[in-house]
Amino acid sequence: MEEGVSEEAIRDSEQIMRNEYAALQNQLLLLKQKQMALIDTLRHLEVPLLKSRKLQANQTGYSWWISTTAQKAGHS
C-alpha cells in the first residue's frame, strides 16, 4: 500500500479548484457589468440633477439681486 494521495484524488481536487475559479470569474464579470450599469445610470441621473441645481442657483441669485436692487432703490 502506497502512502499519500492517489493521482485520481489529485486530479479531482484540481478539477474542483478549476471549476470554483471559473465560477468566481463569472461572478466577478457579472458584478463588473452591474457596476458599469449602475455608473451609467448615475451619469444619466446626474445631468438633470446638475441642471436643476444650476437653475435653482440662478433663480436664487436673481431673487437676491431683485431684493437688493429694490432695497437700494427704497433707500435712495
Side-chain angles (χ1 to χ4, degrees):
M1 189 169 188
E2 289 185 40
E3 285 187 35
V5 182
S6 71
E7 287 294 319
E8 184 178 349
I10 292 171
R11 283 191 298 276
D12 288 345
S13 296
E14 289 173 344
Q15 187 60 47
I16 290 168
M17 293 298 290
R18 281 191 291 272
N19 291 343
E20 288 180 1
Y21 182 76
L24 287 173
Q25 278 186 314
N26 289 337
Q27 287 178 351
L28 182 59
L29 179 61
L30 288 173
L31 287 172
K32 277 300 248 185
Q33 290 172 347
K34 285 182 180 182
Q35 179 189 34
M36 294 306 293
L38 284 171
I39 289 171
D40 190 46
T41 300
L42 286 173
R43 282 189 188 125
H44 289 307
L45 293 173
E46 185 178 38
V47 170
L49 178 64
L50 292 176
K51 286 180 181 179
S52 172
R53 285 184 180 170
K54 184 177 180 181
L55 178 62
Q56 185 180 16
N58 287 342
Q59 289 172 343
T60 302
Y62 180 70
S63 297
W64 174 82
W65 180 79
I66 294 270
S67 65
T68 304
T69 305
Q71 287 173 0
K72 287 180 183 177
H75 287 94
S76 299

